[in-house]
Amino acid sequence: MAVHHAGVATEHLLKAFLVNLHPALIADGRDFNSLLYAAGHGPLLQVRADQVKTIQLGEAYDRAQKILKGKIPPKPRGPWPLADARNGVAHCGYHDPGAVNAVFTSALKVIDPLLEELAIGPDYWGTYKELHDHLVAVQVEEESLFVQGKLVKARRTFAARYAHLSERDRLLVLAAVSNSVPAGYIEHDEKAACPACASQGWLSGETWAEAATVMFYPVEFNCPACDLRLLFDELDMATEGFGSDRDLEVEPGDFYPDWEPDEDDQPLGEDEPGLEPDEDAMVDAYRNR
């Protein structure tokens, strides 16, 4: 039951974060009655609370992760131990005992940032706080060793491929190889020096507009020269700050082909004073509610 409770706790905290923004964010978008209830208008169609349909763990994770970029890791592309364990126990009464550590690792990586966002704090863990701290420490140590193993393997691969070449030939080959952008679904790629072999690799991630610039949020790294691949949680373990958000120092209009700035975000010109609020209109709007 522990792995099942870990999945349920994660789902409820994700939904608590979304509800804290607005209740409609956990409503099933395919069910109009649920959206109506979440928007505070359930009495219009006599919708009861027990009739409301909400999103599942995976969708709640996707929605929250888009808002908390850089704070909770992206959902794995392949098997997801946390969801598999929760669903396995809930629907079949079964879970893989060998996946218990992976389940709790996935849960803690999501729950701790959510507790901070919800201003709950470590008191959430109660008498299990000491065990929580131990699991986190073990998790960090294991992941650090795993990343160091990846780096060692990548350096061996690089040496086997290019050590026999002259410096001139090696530079020519690496220049050709390094321009191979990794194929995948990730939105954007940025050049970055490989922490294993110093060749040009690629940080892949997502971008968003912030004020007058574009920000980049890396989620994985790939080096075509030595085959090093680092995922979200491994980036900073390989090189400090490797997984941090970065400013691409380019204006949104020059970066996004279909960029249309929000008129509300445009600065007022010297000859464009801000409009004074129409108080009469505001009063009329309130009376018509």
Side-chain angles (χ1 to χ4, degrees), residues 65-74 113 208 217-219 232 243 245:
Q65 196 273 327
K66 289 176 182 177
I67 301 169
L68 297 174
K69 289 180 180 178
K71 295 184 179 180
I72 62 175
W208 72 96
Y217 157 62
V219 297
F232 174 81
D245 297 347

Side-chain angles (χ1 to χ4, degrees), residues 254-271:
D254 296 330
F255 186 85
Y256 299 106
D258 55 350
W259 174 255
E260 292 185 6
D262 187 341
E263 292 181 0
D264 294 336
D265 294 335
Q266 299 305 301
L268 295 174
E270 294 181 0
D271 299 327

Side-chain angles (χ1 to χ4, degrees), residues 6 8 17 20 26 53 59 73 75 86 96-97 101 166 168 173 213 235 237 247 263 269 281 286:
V8 172
F17 168 74
N20 199 41
I26 68 166
K53 298 178 181 178
E59 181 64 22
K75 191 169 65 178
R86 177 198 176 282
D96 179 4
N101 285 346
S166 67
R168 176 179 177 277
V173 172
T213 190
L235 296 175
M237 290 185 176
D247 187 348
E263 292 181 0
Y286 181 79

Side-chain angles (χ1 to χ4, degrees), residues 188-239:
H188 182 70
D189 300 291
E190 281 287 314
K191 297 177 181 178
C194 176
C197 69
S199 303
Q200 177 192 297
W202 297 91
L203 273 172
S204 303
E206 302 173 358
T207 64
W208 72 96
E210 185 173 291
T213 190
V214 175
M215 300 295 294
F216 174 65
Y217 157 62
V219 297
E220 70 174 57
F221 171 81
N222 289 276
C223 178
C226 67
D227 290 343
L228 177 66
R229 181 171 183 248
L230 299 171
L231 302 180
F232 174 81
D233 294 317
E234 301 169 338
L235 296 175
D236 284 336
M237 290 185 176
T239 300

Side-chain angles (χ1 to χ4, degrees), residues 77-114:
R77 282 190 256 176
W80 188 17
L82 180 63
D84 291 344
R86 177 198 176 282
N87 295 336
V89 175
H91 302 302
C92 305
Y94 170 82
H95 78 95
D96 179 4
V100 171
N101 285 346
V103 171
F104 280 98
T105 295
S106 297
L108 295 180
K109 287 179 179 177
V110 182
I111 288 177
D112 281 343
L114 288 172

